[in-house]
Amino acid sequence: MSSRTLLVVEAGVIVVSILLSLYLQGLYDASRMNERKEDLLRGLLTVIEQDIAQIDFFSNIQDRSHRSAEVLLYPKQDLVIDSIYWHLSSVGMGLRSFFPQRSPFEEIIDAQVTRYIRSPELRTDLFTLFGEDLERHEVHTKEYDQLFLSFNKYLSETYLLVDWWREGSGQIPEIDITSFDRTLRPDQD
């Protein structure tokens, strides 16, 4: 074998080795990115499940608050003062905002993992949920806060109501009213 042939064979082996190395590195990188994608999506799924549980919890509180507001607005019988204050406290507890967790989705965007999500429907749904839907939620939360924060402030400024919330049976907290005053606060003359 001539030196020229040997040189061509050696160059061919080097080129094949480089190409094989690049191919294997590409497979390794794709595997690592796929693992990262799976980890991030699992984390996102966990956060979505936590948000759903929080929404269910707030929904139960909102239902109780709504029922208490109806009792106060449309009483079917004369209410005793203890009942009035209990229902006021229940209405006050319902005046809360829900804040969904965004950081896992933002991490997916920052890591540029969305390009590795094969399902176009999943990509679209994620961008819709964490884009338009959250922006819409923020607008509604601001409207809700503008409407109810002043009412909640009125309740706390007008009534000396000391209440304590504890976990009750199920997922709805129970209310213990430890004291209240029927009169306006002294600074409300």
Side-chain angles (χ1 to χ4, degrees):
M1 214 190 301
S2 72
S3 64
R4 179 177 261 187
T5 306
L6 189 59
L7 203 56
V8 169
V9 169
E10 285 177 2
V13 169
I14 291 172
V15 168
V16 168
S17 296
I18 291 172
L19 291 175
L20 181 62
S21 174
L22 290 173
Y23 174 75
L24 292 175
Q25 184 65 43
L27 288 178
Y28 176 75
D29 290 345
S31 171
R32 294 282 310 227
M33 184 53 78
N34 193 45
E35 287 175 21
R36 176 119 171 94
K37 174 192 77 168
E38 295 297 324
D39 286 344
L40 289 171
L41 289 176
R42 271 192 297 277
L44 181 63
L45 182 59
T46 299
V47 163
I48 289 172
E49 289 169 350
Q50 291 170 350
D51 283 350
I52 289 171
Q54 187 180 8
I55 289 169
D56 290 342
F57 176 77
F58 277 112
S59 179
N60 290 334
I61 290 174
Q62 295 298 320
D63 288 343
R64 175 188 275 179
S65 179
H66 182 256
R67 286 191 307 272
S68 287
E70 285 183 339
V71 167
L72 292 170
L73 292 172
Y74 312 107
K76 294 182 177 161
Q77 61 190 24
D78 288 337
L79 298 173
V80 296
I81 196 71
D82 289 358
S83 178
I84 292 171
Y85 285 111
W86 188 92
H87 288 294
L88 281 173
S89 182
S90 180
V91 168
M93 186 179 188
L95 305 177
R96 296 177 177 219
S97 296
F98 165 69
F99 299 100
Q101 303 174 60
R102 296 180 98 132
S103 58
F105 181 71
E106 291 168 356
E107 190 175 351
I108 287 172
I109 297 298
D110 291 344
Q112 298 179 354
V113 170
T114 55
R115 65 182 174 187
Y116 295 101
I117 299 174
R118 289 187 205 112
S119 167
E121 293 86 14
L122 177 59
R123 269 195 312 273
T124 300
D125 289 347
L126 286 173
F127 280 106
T128 300
L129 174 64
F130 287 96
E132 300 167 20
D133 290 349
L134 284 183
E135 287 177 24
R136 191 175 301 113
H137 168 75
E138 287 175 11
V139 168
H140 292 304
T141 298
K142 287 176 185 172
E143 291 172 352
Y144 181 81
D145 287 346
Q146 287 175 352
L147 179 64
F148 287 109
L149 285 179
S150 61
F151 176 71
N152 207 17
K153 181 179 177 190
Y154 167 78
L155 286 179
S156 62
E157 288 177 346
T158 305
Y159 300 99
L160 290 174
L161 180 65
V162 179
D163 58 7
W164 178 69
W165 293 84
R166 67 179 185 286
E167 287 297 319
S169 59
Q171 293 201 2
I172 304 174
E174 300 293 327
I175 309 169
D176 282 333
I177 297 179
T178 55
S179 66
F180 56 86
D181 188 341
R182 295 180 197 141
T183 62
L184 293 175
R185 289 182 173 209
D187 59 341
Q188 298 294 315
D189 295 330

